[in-house]
Amino acid sequence: QVQLVESGGGLVQPGGSLRLSCAASGSIFGINTMGWYRRAPGKERELVAAITRSGRTNYADSVKGRFTISRDNAKNTMYLQMNSLKPEDTAVYYCNANIPAYYDRDYDYWGQGTQVTVSS
């Protein structure tokens, strides 16, 4: 019943900025780690940034200093501020959320993705 919906993708020029949002909805009592992944054509999906419930973050080396991940637990929403964008950032960006369930189980949920294209 949980759904993740990304928004904010689009076409930007190199050096530009973009902010992605991921809104989780459904029967949610708390979200553990959330993260942004991306997949470029012909490439494997890779982790871009992750953030824990308490706000601890980590980033891929390729985006450190340029991207900032954040979350609003009250809104079950996560953001990715992307600055100084490069053509190699072009990819479909996916939201991921680990959400606990019954019987000590937890599940990873994925959004449908939002396209980010960096091109002149």
Side-chain angles (χ1 to χ4, degrees), residues 3-103:
Q3 284 194 321
L4 305 179
V5 179
E6 303 98 335
S7 62
L11 173 64
V12 295
Q13 295 185 2
S17 297
L18 211 58
R19 190 171 94 139
L20 306 182
S21 298
C22 171
S25 62
S27 299
I28 301 172
F29 295 93
I31 304 176
N32 297 321
T33 298
M34 303 182 75
W36 288 99
Y37 292 75
R38 67 186 181 188
R39 191 196 306 272
K43 295 185 177 180
E44 191 173 322
R45 183 177 60 201
E46 65 173 348
L47 175 66
V48 177
I51 183 168
T52 68
R53 185 182 301 182
S54 62
R56 186 178 181 88
T57 61
N58 69 274
Y59 298 89
D61 289 341
S62 60
V63 306
K64 285 182 179 178
R66 300 188 298 120
F67 291 10
T68 302
I69 189 172
S70 61
R71 63 189 287 172
D72 185 335
N73 291 335
K75 297 180 179 179
N76 290 326
T77 302
M78 177 179 62
Y79 308 93
L80 184 68
Q81 178 66 47
M82 304 184 293
N83 299 325
S84 301
L85 284 162
K86 304 174 180 179
E88 50 263 44
D89 295 319
T90 296
V92 178
Y93 284 70
Y94 297 91
C95 174
N96 170 266
N98 182 266
I99 300 177
Y102 292 110
Y103 309 116

